[in-house]
Structures are given as C-alpha cells and as structure tokens.
Amino acid sequence: MTQERRINEDTFPKWLNESLIKTVLKLEDDPTTLVTSFEITWATEVGDNYASDMYRVTVQTERMGAVEKRSFIVKVELKTGQMAKILSVGNLFGREIKSLTCTAPAIHQLLEAVSPGKYQPFSPKCLYTHTTNTRVIIMEDLKKQDFRMAERFHGLDLSHCLLVMRNIARYHASSVVLYQKVPHEFRLFMRSIYCEELRENMNAYYGKNIKQLAIEVAQWPVYGVRFAEKLHNLAETVADQILELLTRDDNEFNVLCHADLWSNNMMFRYSDETGEVADVRFIDYQLSHWMSPAIELLYFLYMNPSIDVMDQHYFLLEEYYKTLGETFTELGSKHLHPSWEQLNIQLERRHMYAVIIVCSALCMILVDHNKPLDIEKVFTQDETFHISEQYKEALLKILPIFEQKGWL
C-alpha cells in the first residue's frame, strides 16, 4: 500500500505546476480543456524506494462540462548524498529514460509485429522526460489500470513467479533480436554500474551489511559455527567479487537485463473473475545493462519467491528457458537460443552473486515496517540494517541451500 499523504505546498517542487501538467497531458493547445485542480502526494512509502523522489499527481480536468480525473507518476533524480553519486556515476536516470522511451517499447514492438495483440507492454508508458539540471521522468500511473505491488514480506507464490519468468524471458529474447538489428541503440547499457569508481560505496553497503549479518549469525545455535566465519570472509572480498561477477563476457549469451527485479519493481494485475494474477509490468529500469541473464535470474530467484517456492527454482528456470526458446522461434531467430547447458554454466559461474545479494540486500525487502533503513546513513555512518523475523526465517532456509550447493 502506498502513502496518500499530501505534500506541503511549500515543499513540493515548484516546477511541478499547472503549466507542466498541461504539457504532460498534452493540453497546451487545447483551450477547451481546463485544469480545475491538482493534488500532489507521495507515491511510495518510506523504505520502498531509495534512489529517487516519487510523487503521484492527481489532476481534475473539465471539458465542455464533462469532468475527468487523471493521474501520473513523477520520478525525480536525487541531487545530494551517496545515492546521488551512484546515480551520476552509473548514469542511472539516463538508463531508465532510454529504456522507457526507446528500448522497452521497441522490444515490445518486435513481438507486436509478429503476434498483434498477444502480448502486453513490459513497462509503463513514459509521458514526459526532462534532463536539464534535475532529471525527471513522468509516466502513466499503473495503479489506475488496477496494477498493484504484491505483498513482498511473504514472498511471491508460484503463480506470480511463473508469470515473471515468462515475461522476463520474452524481454530477454526480444532484446537479443533487437540488438542484432540496431546494436548502436544499446551503447548506454554496455557499461555496468558496478565499477571501480564505486568500490568504496560497495564496501560501505554490501561489506557492512554482510559483516553485520555475520555478527548476528554467530549468535544462532548451530548456524554460528557453520556460517559466521564464512560470512566475515565474504565481507572482506565482496567488492572484488562483485566487480568480477558483473564483468560481461562477450563470448557468452548476453541479454538486456532489467537487473533489479525485486518485488517493488513489479506491479501485478489480477483477474476480476478468479482473482488470479494475470499480468505484470516491470518498473524502475535504472540498473539496466547488457549482461548474462544469470545475473537477472539469480537475483530474482533468491530475492522474491516465498519460502515454500524456494524448492521450485529448477521448475522456474525450465519455464524461463522454454519461453526464451518459444520467443526466439516466434521472432524468426531460433538460432540465437542458447543451449540449456550453456545457461546452467553461466548460472554456476556467477553463483556467488546469489550469496552476496541474499546476505546484503534481501534484508531491505524483508525490512521491519517499524524500522526502515536510512540508506544514506549506511553509506556515511555506522547505520546497519535490522534483522527482521521474516529475514531470519528466510536465512534459516537459504543458508543451508548455499552450503549444500558448495556456494558458502
């Protein structure tokens, strides 16, 4: 559930005014439609979003006596703090603007050309962007189309996970076909945001969180003996490992990864008749880059499924691979489909990425509502995450899985 608290008129951006609203709604040259009122509220709760300010603008218009309510989402780049540095070094807003205005629509259009009306878009429609001084993205409000976020604290069930696997497989396969046609359109995505310039930030976040986890795990019966020292050692080398794991190998099968598929970056729509999940949109494309799909898959599979779906990873990967092949075939590019063995080699080669994100980032998904994490204090002070009961429960299941696989 998102906040609907009103923004104080003295604090919301002054440029977010009636003139801009008319531009976004394409009313500048329409004297018959009047903006009679608008309201600005926060679009996310504290702890749901870390790399931007998000507003929901609800607008009431009137045309020839007919009143209409519309709304859209405004995403604003942060200008201060360590997150602002990461945004700048990685060009995160540039990546998202490119994705929403060009790449994601073009990927969907490939599918639309061969199978009209069969598939839905992957992303929300971008209505407006601004890149001078402060970068801004304004997009359609998916909430008004009955999309909503799933309850992340319990994890996604099998139906949600299968839907995501099929859609991300179509996105990946179509991105490869698009790359074959217009490789120059992917230049921005060729550089990972995980670079030497951000080593200090990686240690401040990943290293600090894993050290904190090691201290906590050391107090758990049985687990402390098995895992605490290994986690301490991982914390010492985490920046080196991330830089290596996310260095692209151009001899491998690569795709355009969304690269941040956690539950808050997916919005679902449900059937009116059955209540079953029926559609999904991916949001927040700031980490998009051209990379092995193993990064995408490991991230999703260990950050989102509910505990009882953790045993279904092989089944979910099979569904991904099957849909990947079907999409390549549908697009007339069956020759681009990697073998099942190739995909599994890439997954095994990058398995430590799963360990790192579970031990450093899953805590942010399963954070206690009453103890949200201040990401800036993690980077600059001694702030560490609070281990919620949900996170501890997940670790008690996942750490032995890592041990069994020989990953930890």
Side-chain angles (χ1 to χ4, degrees):
M1 184 179 296
T2 56
Q3 292 177 350
E4 292 294 348
R5 57 190 174 92
R6 202 169 188 161
I7 307 286
N8 186 294
E9 290 186 1
D10 295 327
T11 60
F12 71 72
K14 300 304 179 186
W15 46 261
L16 193 46
N17 52 29
E18 183 175 333
S19 176
L20 179 61
I21 289 170
K22 287 183 176 180
T23 298
V24 172
L25 298 181
K26 297 181 169 54
L27 301 178
E28 297 165 302
D29 301 320
D30 180 8
T32 65
T33 303
L34 303 177
V35 174
T36 57
S37 67
F38 67 91
E39 182 182 57
I40 305 172
T41 56
W42 294 108
T44 57
E45 294 183 12
V46 175
D48 279 352
N49 181 64
Y50 298 96
S52 59
D53 287 327
M54 301 281 289
Y55 306 104
R56 171 174 283 107
V57 180
T58 304
V59 184
Q60 181 171 291
T61 62
E62 183 176 338
R63 183 176 185 273
M64 301 176 65
V67 175
E68 182 180 0
K69 272 195 172 182
R70 317 186 205 185
S71 67
F72 51 81
I73 301 297
V74 180
K75 186 170 187 174
V76 184
E77 181 180 30
L78 299 179
K79 299 299 288 184
T80 60
Q82 289 301 306
M83 282 306 304
K85 174 188 174 183
I86 294 170
L87 286 166
S88 176
V89 171
N91 193 12
L92 269 62
F93 258 72
R95 291 168 189 263
E96 183 157 31
I97 288 171
K98 180 71 172 180
S99 294
L100 292 179
T101 61
C102 179
T103 320
I107 286 172
H108 175 251
Q109 190 54 43
L110 284 177
L111 292 169
E112 184 68 13
V114 296
S115 301
K118 183 178 178 181
Y119 303 112
Q120 295 298 310
F122 295 101
S123 64
K125 182 186 296 183
C126 185
L127 305 176
Y128 174 87
T129 63
H130 180 79
T131 57
T132 303
N133 298 323
T134 299
R135 291 193 280 189
V136 176
I137 301 171
I138 299 180
M139 64 199 93
E140 64 180 337
D141 185 359
L142 291 173
K143 184 178 178 181
K144 298 305 178 182
Q145 300 176 38
D146 295 324
F147 282 91
R148 65 180 188 265
M149 292 176 185
E151 173 52 74
R152 76 176 192 245
F153 300 101
H154 300 297
L156 301 181
D157 65 18
L158 187 59
S159 295
H160 285 79
C161 289
L162 284 169
L163 181 64
V164 174
M165 285 288 97
R166 293 172 188 136
N167 276 271
I168 201 61
R170 291 189 194 103
Y171 185 77
H172 285 172
S174 302
S175 75
V176 175
V177 175
L178 184 63
Y179 177 78
Q180 299 297 313
K181 296 177 182 291
V182 286
H184 59 279
E185 292 291 346
F186 289 76
R187 282 193 213 119
L188 181 61
F189 306 116
M190 291 297 160
R191 180 174 180 259
S192 169
I193 70 159
Y194 298 94
C195 57
E196 191 64 40
E197 190 174 349
L198 295 177
R199 174 183 287 274
E200 183 178 340
N201 300 85
M202 286 186 276
N203 280 322
Y205 175 73
Y206 295 101
K208 183 187 291 185
N209 283 357
I210 296 172
K211 284 179 183 177
Q212 171 66 17
L213 178 61
I215 293 170
E216 175 71 20
V217 169
Q219 304 172 47
W220 298 354
V222 180
Y223 278 67
V225 176
R226 292 161 64 185
F227 300 116
E229 184 177 355
K230 294 177 181 178
L231 290 172
H232 274 296
N233 293 337
L234 175 60
E236 295 299 323
T237 63
V238 68
D240 288 333
Q241 295 212 45
I242 291 174
L243 289 170
E244 180 179 352
L245 289 165
L246 276 81
T247 296
R248 184 180 66 255
D249 181 349
D250 287 323
N251 293 316
E252 287 185 324
F253 173 69
N254 292 303
V255 302
L256 184 59
C257 291
H258 176 283
D260 198 13
L261 281 185
W262 70 296
S263 50
N264 274 27
N265 287 339
M266 295 172 274
M267 296 186 71
F268 298 93
R269 184 161 58 191
Y270 299 83
S271 168
D272 292 334
E273 291 77 22
T274 65
E276 293 294 316
V277 63
D279 197 5
V280 63
R281 295 285 187 279
F282 303 132
I283 60 177
D284 196 347
Y285 287 73
Q286 292 188 333
L287 300 188
S288 294
H289 60 280
W290 189 255
M291 175 58 60
S292 166
I295 293 298
E296 191 97 275
L297 296 170
L298 290 167
Y299 187 97
F300 176 80
L301 290 172
Y302 286 96
M303 291 281 272
N304 297 282
S306 61
I307 294 298
D308 59 347
V309 178
M310 281 291 173
D311 297 330
Q312 301 290 325
H313 280 185
Y314 189 85
F315 176 59
L316 291 171
L317 284 171
E318 284 188 318
E319 190 65 24
Y320 169 85
Y321 185 75
K322 173 188 171 186
T323 307
L324 192 76
E326 290 172 347
T327 306
F328 276 128
T329 299
E330 197 167 9
L331 293 173
S333 301
K334 188 176 181 180
H335 63 285
L336 296 174
H337 190 207
S339 69
W340 175 248
E341 181 183 16
Q342 287 173 317
L343 179 63
N344 278 278
I345 287 173
Q346 290 184 214
L347 286 163
E348 182 58 33
R349 180 180 175 186
R350 289 175 172 80
H351 67 262
M352 280 305 298
Y353 187 62
V355 178
I356 290 168
I357 58 171
V358 164
C359 296
S360 63
L362 183 58
C363 57
M364 296 174 70
I365 294 180
L366 302 178
V367 67
D368 189 325
H369 270 309
N370 298 315
K371 298 178 181 179
L373 187 68
D374 187 330
I375 193 69
E376 284 298 322
K377 289 183 179 179
V378 171
F379 285 122
T380 60
Q381 301 176 26
D382 291 330
E383 177 96 345
T384 55
F385 66 88
H386 169 72
I387 294 183
S388 66
E389 286 303 312
Q390 290 95 333
Y391 185 41
K392 182 174 181 178
E393 181 184 356
L395 288 170
L396 290 172
K397 173 88 179 246
I398 297 173
L399 290 179
I401 291 175
F402 288 159
E403 181 183 55
Q404 183 181 16
K405 289 176 175 289
W407 295 359
L408 188 63

